[in-house]
Amino acid sequence: MEYRLFGRTGAHVSPLCLGCMMFGGKTSPEDSYEIIDRAIDAGINFLDTANVYSRGNSEIVTGEALKRNGKRHQVVLATKVHGRMDDDDPNAAGSSRRHIIDQCDASLKRLQTDYIDLYQIHRPRSDTPIDETLRALDDLIRAGKVRYIGTSTFEAWQFMESLWVAKELGLNRFVCEQPPYHILDRRIERGLIPLAQTYGVALIPWSPLAGGLLTGKYSRDTQPPEDSRFADVANNPRLQARMTNDIFDVVDGLKPLADAKGCSIAQLALAWCMNQPGITSPIIGPRTMEQLVDNLGALEVTITDEDRATIDGLVPSGRMVSPFYEADFGPHQYRWS
C-alpha cells in the first residue's frame, strides 16, 4: 500500500478510505465486522462514519469492530456531526457549540475510543457563524478529544472563509474537505481543488461511484438488479431522473477503457478519482464483501494520460452531467437548516 500525506498534517492515509455508512443499517453487524477486518488487512487505514448514519448504529458497529480486532490505534478514524439526532429536540442538529460538544461525547462512547482522529462538520450551516463552530472544535482539540477537524460539502468560498477566521482568531483550522466528486460531477475542479492544492488541504471525495451509477451494473436496456439502490426505479421519480441517456452515454464510453485494462467500470472510476490532482483518498461505501473486494481492485489499476484525455472527452474538466446532479449532490442541498 502506498500511503499519502493527509494534507499538511504529516499524517499518512491509504489512497482509499472505507466509508462505514452501510454498517449497522443495510449491512448486518457481523458482515460489517468482516468487511472492516478485510479492508484493514488489505492496508486500508482510514475509516469514515458519521453520527447520523442509522442514528448512531454505524458508529456503534464501527467501534465494536475496532475493539474486536484490536486495531483502533492503527487506523485514522473519522466521524461527522451536524445531522439531526433527535426529532423532538430543536437543538439536536446543526453546527452550534451545544450540539457539537454534546455529539462529540456521544460519538466517543459509541465508537468506544478516547479520541477521534478526524471530526468533520457534515454540511455547511448558513444560520451559524463559522467562528461559533470553530471555537467549539478548537476546544475539543485542546481537550484531547479530537486530533484534526474537517468539513464536508463546503463550497470553496465557505472553506476559504473558515481558514481566514481560524487565522484571525488563532484557532485550529480545518485540514480537509469531503466533497462530492466523480466522473459525472467534476465541478470542484473549478475552485475547490486549486484551493486545496494552494493551502495544503486534503480532499476525501464522497460518492466516487456516483451512488452506484458508475459501477456498470445499470444500463438503459435492462431492469436494475433487485438488491440494488435503483431496484424501485419504476415507482420512484427521483431515481428515474438520475437514469438519463447522458449518463448512460458516459458509462458506455467508459466500458472500452475498463475492458482494455481488464477491470470493472467501478474500478476504473475509482482509480481515476484517486489519481486526480489534489485528491487524497476517495471514500468507498461497500454494502457487501463482494463490493469491497471489487473496490480494492482499483488500487491495481493504472490511469494514463491517454485515459484521462478519453475521460475528459466524455465529461470535460469542471463540468457535470445532467442537471439533476445539481439538486441531488450540490452543496446547497445538504444544509439541513
Side-chain angles (χ1 to χ4, degrees):
M1 185 72 68
E2 185 176 337
Y3 295 92
R4 299 175 173 182
L5 277 171
F6 192 63
R8 64 199 292 271
T9 67
H12 289 79
V13 296
S14 49
L16 286 177
C17 172
L18 179 64
C20 303
M21 185 173 69
M22 296 294 176
F23 305 157
K26 292 185 177 181
T27 306
S28 71
E30 291 300 327
D31 288 345
S32 301
Y33 304 150
E34 292 182 6
I35 291 172
I36 290 173
D37 288 347
R38 178 69 173 271
I40 294 175
D41 289 344
I44 301 295
N45 77 331
F46 192 9
L47 276 63
D48 176 77
T49 183
N51 63 345
V52 77
Y53 295 160
S54 300
R55 284 280 173 94
N57 283 338
S58 172
E59 288 184 327
I60 290 172
V61 169
T62 301
E64 180 64 22
L66 294 175
K67 179 181 178 181
R68 290 186 177 204
N69 62 31
K71 296 180 179 179
R72 164 65 186 98
H73 297 290
Q74 296 179 26
V75 304
V76 175
L77 181 59
T79 192
K80 299 182 284 291
V81 60
H82 184 273
R84 179 157 297 284
M85 295 298 288
D86 186 332
D87 294 329
D88 298 322
D89 182 355
N91 289 308
S95 301
S96 68
R97 166 179 288 274
R98 174 183 174 131
H99 185 62
I100 289 171
I101 292 177
D102 285 351
Q103 285 304 308
C104 180
D105 288 339
S107 289
L108 287 169
K109 291 178 181 178
R110 287 190 290 261
L111 290 167
Q112 302 186 61
T113 185
D114 296 327
Y115 65 94
I116 295 166
D117 291 290
L118 174 63
Y119 202 40
Q120 302 157 100
I121 301 300
H122 209 156
R123 293 293 186 269
R125 185 83 181 194
S126 57
D127 63 358
T128 306
I130 193 63
D131 58 291
E132 159 92 358
T133 300
L134 283 168
R135 285 188 187 278
L137 293 171
D138 188 75
D139 285 347
L140 291 174
I141 291 176
R142 295 176 186 275
K145 297 180 179 181
V146 170
R147 295 189 171 176
Y148 300 111
I149 55 176
T151 62
S152 177
T153 321
F154 274 47
E155 295 185 66
W157 73 264
Q158 293 168 319
F159 199 95
M160 192 69 228
E161 178 191 34
S162 77
L163 295 182
W164 176 79
V165 170
K167 182 178 180 180
E168 287 292 300
L169 300 181
L171 305 173
N172 278 282
R173 53 170 275 187
F174 292 128
V175 302
C176 69
E177 156 60 16
Q178 187 179 134
Y181 181 57
H182 45 74
I183 290 174
L184 298 175
D185 185 354
R186 301 179 59 177
R187 288 173 294 166
I188 68 169
E189 295 171 359
R190 304 174 193 167
L192 186 62
I193 287 181
L195 181 153
Q197 292 173 311
T198 300
Y199 292 97
V201 177
L203 293 179
I204 51 175
W206 58 268
S207 196
L209 296 178
L213 290 172
L214 291 172
T215 60
K217 70 171 70 172
Y218 306 113
S219 76
R220 70 184 99 212
D221 301 319
T222 60
Q223 287 294 110
E226 291 185 3
D227 63 342
S228 70
R229 184 177 306 189
F230 288 82
D232 192 39
V233 65
N235 302 311
N236 191 322
R238 185 168 176 268
L239 293 180
Q240 290 173 19
R242 296 189 188 187
M243 287 190 161
T244 67
N245 283 325
D246 288 342
I247 286 175
F248 287 127
D249 288 344
V250 174
V251 175
D252 289 345
L254 295 173
K255 191 174 188 308
L257 276 179
D259 289 344
K261 293 178 179 296
C263 68
S264 66
I265 294 176
Q267 290 169 343
L268 175 70
L270 284 174
W272 175 88
C273 188
M274 78 172 79
N275 287 293
Q276 282 294 96
I279 299 302
T280 304
S281 184
I283 301 171
I284 57 175
R287 178 175 53 86
T288 65
M289 182 67 76
E290 180 183 11
Q291 291 175 352
L292 172 68
V293 172
D294 184 76
N295 289 171
L296 291 175
L299 296 167
E300 307 299 324
V301 177
T302 299
I303 301 296
T304 67
D305 289 340
E306 290 77 12
D307 297 331
R308 293 187 182 90
T310 298
I311 292 172
D312 288 349
L314 297 171
V315 183
S317 178
R319 299 288 294 278
M320 173 187 64
V321 178
S322 294
F324 76 85
Y325 263 88
E326 188 72 44
D328 282 354
F329 293 117
H332 297 289
Q333 180 71 9
Y334 292 99
R335 293 189 186 276
W336 280 330
S337 56

